[in-house]
Amino acid sequence: MATDPSGLIDRAQSWLAEDPDPETRDELSALIAAQDTDELAVRFAGTLQFGTAGLRGELGAGPMRMNRSVVIRAAAGLAAYLKAKGQGSGLVVIGYDARYKSADFARDTAAVMVGAGLRAALLPRPLPTPVLAFAIRHLGAVAGVEVTASHNPPRDNGYKVYLGDGSQIVPPADGEIAAEIAAVHSLTDVPRPESGWETLDDDVLTAYLARTDAVLTPGSPRDLNVVYTPMHGVGRDTLLAAFARAGFPAPTVVAEQAEPDPDFPTVAFPNPEEPGAMDLSFAAARAQGDGEVDIVIANDPDADRCAVAVPAPGTPDGWRMLRGDEVGALLAAHLVRKGATGTFTTTIVSSQLMSRIAGSASLPYEETLTGFKWLARVDGLRYAYEEALGYCVDPEGVRDKDGITAALLITELAAELKRDGRTLADLLDDLAVEHGLHATDQLSVRVEDLSLIANAMRRLREQPPTTLAGLSVTRADDLSQGTETLPPTDGLRYYLSGSPEAGIESARIVVRPSGTEPKLKCYLEVVVPVQSANALPEARGRAAGTLAALKDDLSTAAGI
């Protein structure tokens, strides 16, 4: 048992006295009774801060956990911010997923808004995050809140804040809201009436579904056999309704993952990118027989992301997950062919392939910091994606990533290709021949001790690598200093020379701490020139070898 020199017990007791939730009160009472100052020190080390996707953290008692006390303070800070901006009588729309405490956090937010003099409207039930992003603009709200932890582990929850343009908050708004949150000294100062907010009916969902019509080309093919998983989340009913509305055959839903379940019992992490998360989907596809299923689609639990897999005969699963960069390029090429105009946008950690696709079509192209809160704000935006399976294909409808409309658009593309006797993999080959093979990979390190991430970043800054995988580092950007086009962020970017002898045109690496999980993430890309489709197998082999060597050398350089 540790001593309590810094008054931890007193602070914990003060927090306990205001905690409105019996579960977290019991939890904190037990820690206080046990004099567990080690755990209390973790819980009271600060307060949760807005990151890439707003507030997010593990459920539990204390200011460093997600709980009703933290949410009430966050809502009060948002309300104060809106009133300071002259929007004190405006509407705030609140959505939520099916995680533990999500409905409680949503109702607390509604109560705080009404208590502050604003109007509040709850979505009718747990629904995909893009429905909330749509509802903000559709209803003319001044702000929106989505209670979700997206694809995080079961014990996490989160709190996304949107302003009236339907985009997530960015500086300086996040800092101004944080200051208002910090000014909330006591929950007794926050009025929380037991009623007064509106619970919306299904009209808002019907309007969202009607808007999905804008994604597809009237008369385009609809013949495609899809296996789909909502990953124990809230996407199933909305996606099935959108597919039915569009005239696609009903996807086969993975039965074991069809119902919302906050425990996510069939996956270690409810993220389609994680190893094993798609196993049940692939099994469902194999059960229909070889060649019967055209593609597999997955949403993450709040359905703002979309994963796609294609047949891969001869592999153990018989299926291959497409990387987010591959789906991003496929959708970009599809939109270009459909005659889309406007700016095509991705993030600094995504593949550079889309810059070539946009350039070949003489379309504007921009790169932003990681996160749709940045992508959504690009002027003239027509299409945006990030490598973490996020795609915005209809920014006039949803100015955020949307796993439902992305699923519709990739299904339309696959159906068009099927009509012509081709596949998504064939189109990827075409893009590689036309623009060069852009092969990507990640070195992602999950940690328990966040200091390991800080140490790795410091080591790379103090001892920057000059060569990696035999390629010279020709330029190193410390993104914490910002650039002409990017605000400061904790990241490092390396451009590497090509190697004609090795058949490598160029390479690029971006290193950054994750904004949503305790991970250090390193994004690697190698570009290999390709003369013909026949040369692709050899080019892929060269790229894979270089990516593996980059991983090894970067891991050594970072000490991870």
Side-chain angles (χ1 to χ4, degrees), residues 221-224 248 410-419:
R222 296 292 192 267
D223 176 27
L224 205 74
F248 288 115
I410 199 70
T411 301
E412 178 186 63
L413 171 57
E416 289 185 359
L417 291 166
K418 181 181 180 180
R419 175 198 59 195

Side-chain angles (χ1 to χ4, degrees), residues 476-515:
D477 298 334
D478 186 346
L479 299 176
S480 67
Q481 306 301 309
T483 71
E484 290 184 1
T485 58
L486 299 172
T489 188
D490 186 10
L492 299 164
R493 179 170 57 186
Y494 304 106
Y495 291 95
L496 289 80
S497 65
S499 171
E501 302 80 14
I504 304 297
E505 178 182 315
S506 62
R508 189 195 65 178
I509 295 172
V510 179
V511 183
R512 59 178 282 271
S514 170

Side-chain angles (χ1 to χ4, degrees), residues 395-478:
E396 291 305 307
V398 175
R399 213 161 183 83
D400 196 10
K401 55 184 176 288
D402 183 346
I404 305 298
T405 50
L408 285 171
L409 194 61
I410 199 70
T411 301
E412 178 186 63
L413 171 57
E416 289 185 359
L417 291 166
K418 181 181 180 180
R419 175 198 59 195
D420 299 335
R422 308 182 73 238
T423 66
L424 295 176
D426 293 331
L427 181 53
L428 284 172
D429 288 351
D430 293 348
L431 294 174
V433 172
E434 182 177 0
H435 302 293
L437 174 65
H438 288 63
T440 60
D441 204 352
Q442 267 194 43
L443 173 63
S444 183
V445 182
R446 184 181 293 272
V447 301
E448 294 291 335
D449 181 359
L450 290 177
S451 68
L452 296 176
I453 294 177
N455 291 341
M457 296 297 291
R458 182 171 59 252
R459 176 170 173 159
L460 288 171
R461 286 187 168 104
E462 293 175 352
Q463 303 172 48
T466 56
T467 62
L468 294 165
L471 305 176
S472 298
V473 177
T474 58
R475 175 178 151 194
D477 298 334
D478 186 346

Side-chain angles (χ1 to χ4, degrees), residues 17-38:
E18 293 187 346
D19 191 337
D21 189 328
E23 290 185 29
T24 46
R25 280 205 308 270
D26 289 347
E27 179 185 330
L28 189 53
S29 294
L31 292 174
I32 293 171
Q35 298 283 294
D36 190 347
T37 52
D38 290 337

Side-chain angles (χ1 to χ4, degrees), residues 39 46 58 69 124 164 170 180 220 223 228 236 260 272 326 330 354 361 371 373 420 445 463 483 530:
E39 179 62 20
E58 184 179 349
S69 296
V170 296
E180 296 286 4
S220 62
D223 176 27
Y228 167 71
R236 180 192 61 187
E326 292 177 307
L330 288 169
M354 195 167 76
K373 65 182 184 181
D420 299 335
V445 182
Q463 303 172 48
T483 71
V530 182

